Amino acid sequence: MVGSAIDRFRGRVEQRVLTKEPLSSYTSFHIGGPAEYLYTPCGEEDLVCALRAARALGIPTTVLGNGTNVLVSDSGVEGLVVRLMETSLQPVMEKGLVLARAPMPLSSLLEFAILRDLSGLEYLVSIPGTVGGAIFMNAGSFSQAISTHLAYVEVLDRNLEYVLKRHEDVDFDYRYSEFQENGAIILGAAFDLEVGDGATIRSTAGRIRSEKHAKQSWEHPNAGSIFTNPPTTYAGKLIEEAGCKGLQLGRAQVSVKHANFIVNLGGATALDVVCLMDLVVQKVYARFNVRLSPEIRLLGDFSPEAAHASG
Ligand SMILES: Cc1cc2nc3c(=O)[nH]c(=O)nc-3n(C[C@H](O)[C@H](O)[C@H](O)COP(=O)(O)OP(=O)(O)OC[C@H]3O[C@@H](n4cnc5c(N)ncnc54)[C@H](O)[C@@H]3O)c2cc1C
């Protein structure tokens, strides 16, 4: 069994595995050490094949989408990093639902919906991730999230079994999905969207895009909001009022435009970013007695030993 999984993997995909590939090229932060192995599967059969081979060999696996909400350790990521990002994928309509595969850019899903006057996803405009990454993070804005219009999600569970989960059977919350805990890999999803007025849908999407571009920081590499909002206020407001805007450690800086963004001024390390995050948490706690929690996902080893080894 072990031998056959590895043989199938070798036959199909091994030549496309990159070794010691710097992950800084695959993250919006432009930060991160190498993946021991980086693999972009060509479809789901390839993905399952790679995951089975990695499991048979005892190699740990990490999933990456478009890398827009992650901070990768300076020492990189051990084992196999599977990158689920494929710009050529397009949604399809089936029985009144819009079907999207996980590696598809969110922008393709949104464009598809807007072109057909389908409403419900406008608030996902300008979120630079994949459909899978957005479901994993339950991404959204303006109090709306991708889970709202989800009919079902297709996943590979921990045992690499294919499971179809209806929306009502998945635990979602603000920037939370159960997939953050149960280790499932999202393969695709179906969305139940309402037919609306095309002009209104386009103007809503346009307004949200302009508001985001005016508020968010797009000049320097970043990973979007660093901390989740506490229940009754905005993380950015607390960070700004605690005097952290513009605070800099190494080449990482709390954005002068949006206090909940940390930007890479060029050459920032993951250590710069985590130390700056710690400082912000301390300052906000000292001023407001509120402890901020990270929204971004940390990938790789962030222990002091790993930092010492890579520094
Ligand atoms: C400029 C900017 C603006 C942003 N604005 C917003 C915003 O308005 N609202 C918002 O919510 N977010 C925002 N983000 C954050 C980010 O774009 C979203 O969280 C996005 O959904 C992440 O998708 P991704 O494909 O890049 O995931 P990644 O960053 O690659 O991964 C995020 C997490 O999801 C996991 N993952 C990815 N794909 C899968 C999969 N198929 N199966 C299982 N796990 C998976 C990864 O392991 C990782 O833990 C912004 C980011 C930037 C840089």
Side-chain angles (χ1 to χ4, degrees):
M1 169 62 198
V2 170
S4 78
I6 297 165
D7 288 347
R8 284 196 65 207
F9 178 63
R10 290 224 163 97
R12 286 181 68 101
V13 299
E14 195 185 44
Q15 65 277 23
R16 284 187 278 119
V17 176
L18 302 173
T19 315
K20 300 250 175 291
E21 177 72 1
L23 287 172
S24 50
S25 310
Y26 302 87
T27 65
S28 58
F29 240 147
H30 296 181
I31 293 174
E36 189 173 359
Y37 307 105
L38 178 68
Y39 178 58
T40 306
C42 197
E44 280 155 25
E45 228 183 310
D46 265 6
L47 168 67
V48 174
C49 203
L51 294 171
R52 287 209 176 116
R55 182 157 300 183
L57 289 162
I59 296 174
T61 315
T62 302
V63 177
L64 190 67
N66 198 28
T68 63
N69 214 19
V70 292
L71 177 65
V72 174
S73 155
D74 296 317
S75 60
V77 179
E78 203 191 317
L80 180 70
V81 175
V82 178
R83 184 168 184 252
L84 298 181
M85 165 67 183
E86 214 179 313
T87 49
S88 59
L89 291 171
Q90 284 299 320
V92 290
M93 253 343 249
E94 205 178 282
K95 297 181 186 153
L97 297 176
V98 177
L99 311 187
R101 304 318 299 162
M104 180 185 299
L106 264 185
S107 54
S108 306
L109 173 61
L110 194 59
E111 246 170 62
F112 181 92
I114 290 178
L115 267 174
R116 286 159 185 79
D117 295 347
L118 294 172
S119 167
L121 300 177
E122 296 84 287
Y123 49 85
L124 296 177
V125 76
S126 295
I127 300 181
T130 59
V131 169
I135 294 171
F136 184 91
M137 297 304 301
N138 198 15
S141 57
F142 298 97
S143 308
Q144 301 267 6
I146 192 168
S147 56
T148 314
H149 292 275
L150 207 60
Y152 62 80
V153 192
E154 296 166 47
V155 301
L156 276 180
D157 70 9
R158 259 189 203 289
N159 303 317
L160 304 184
E161 299 291 342
Y162 177 90
V163 181
L164 196 143
K165 297 199 85 170
R166 290 178 309 165
H167 177 180
E168 52 273 33
D169 299 328
V170 183
D171 192 9
F172 283 111
D173 206 336
Y174 164 65
R175 298 297 173 269
Y176 172 82
S177 74
E178 65 177 38
F179 310 120
Q180 295 174 11
E181 283 171 40
N182 66 17
I185 296 178
I186 299 154
L187 296 177
F191 296 88
D192 194 359
L193 304 176
E194 293 135 33
V195 177
D197 172 56
T200 310
I201 294 168
R202 275 182 279 282
S203 85
T204 306
R207 179 177 46 77
I208 294 175
R209 180 181 293 109
S210 311
E211 279 185 35
K212 283 189 176 179
H213 278 258
K215 271 199 230 147
Q216 296 180 342
S217 186
W218 294 81
E219 301 81 16
H220 296 289
N222 65 76
S225 292
I226 293 288
F227 299 102
T228 52
N229 290 323
T232 55
T233 185
Y234 293 102
K237 183 173 182 287
L238 300 183
I239 297 168
E240 185 167 352
E241 288 176 7
C244 297
K245 247 189 178 178
L247 202 63
Q248 192 175 331
L249 265 185
R251 298 295 295 156
Q253 185 188 51
V254 176
S255 166
V256 287
K257 194 166 170 198
H258 188 314
N260 198 17
F261 275 42
I262 287 180
V263 295
N264 176 1
L265 296 173
T269 63
L271 189 63
D272 292 340
V273 176
V274 284
C275 291
L276 188 53
M277 286 170 68
D278 283 348
L279 192 58
V280 168
V281 169
Q282 282 170 32
K283 283 183 177 284
V284 168
Y285 189 75
R287 173 93 157 78
F288 298 105
N289 208 21
V290 172
R291 194 165 291 285
L292 294 175
S293 306
E295 173 176 321
I296 57 166
R297 311 286 300 176
L298 302 189
L299 303 184
D301 187 352
F302 280 83
S303 67
E305 298 76 37
H308 183 71
S310 60

